Amino acid sequence: MALLDGGLARLFGAALGGIYRPATLYRVTQLRTRGGSTAESVAERPCRAQLEAASEAMRPAGVAAPELRILVLAAGLGDPITTDDRIGLDGEIYAITAVGRDPAGALFDLRARRA
């Protein structure tokens, strides 16, 4: 049962870690302050990711800015990636617009655009 409890994600992480490039996941949390305003807290997490161009099917009609597909190894991330988070890869920061997951739980499949 170890494979079903995150072992498969660790196995893929070890196998693909050399292929995927170093990246930084920026975990964004909105904190409510006194008076009702909000402040943003950002925690950086190292990860491994691969950037791919998005297909036309992934891009909503009328959107001029290209959306990209980013695959992120789940091993070592702990919490799931959300659309509140951002990711840095190859000197660019991307805003995450959608998050998917492969059936084995080894990868996060992100749609993102340059922030």
Side-chain angles (χ1 to χ4, degrees), residues 28 35 46 56 62 73 79 109 112:
V28 179
E56 288 296 321
L73 293 176
D79 295 331
D109 188 351

Side-chain angles (χ1 to χ4, degrees), residues 11-82:
L11 181 66
F12 275 103
L16 298 174
I19 298 170
Y20 282 61
R21 296 190 297 256
T24 302
L25 180 66
Y26 299 98
R27 297 232 184 243
V28 179
T29 306
Q30 299 294 329
L31 305 170
R32 188 164 297 282
T33 62
R34 287 186 201 187
S37 62
T38 58
E40 188 175 271
S41 170
V42 179
E44 296 182 13
R45 294 287 312 253
C47 61
R48 307 287 291 184
Q50 180 176 327
L51 181 68
E52 297 182 10
S55 69
E56 288 296 321
M58 291 176 67
R59 193 175 311 151
V63 174
E67 224 172 38
L68 304 169
R69 181 180 187 203
I70 301 174
L71 301 175
V72 180
L73 293 176
L77 283 180
D79 295 331
I81 297 174
T82 71

Side-chain angles (χ1 to χ4, degrees), residues 21-26 45-49 70 85-96:
R21 296 190 297 256
T24 302
L25 180 66
Y26 299 98
R45 294 287 312 253
C47 61
R48 307 287 291 184
I70 301 174
D85 299 333
R86 293 185 284 272
I87 190 162
L89 179 64
D90 293 339
E92 294 282 343
I93 303 291
Y94 299 93
I96 299 167

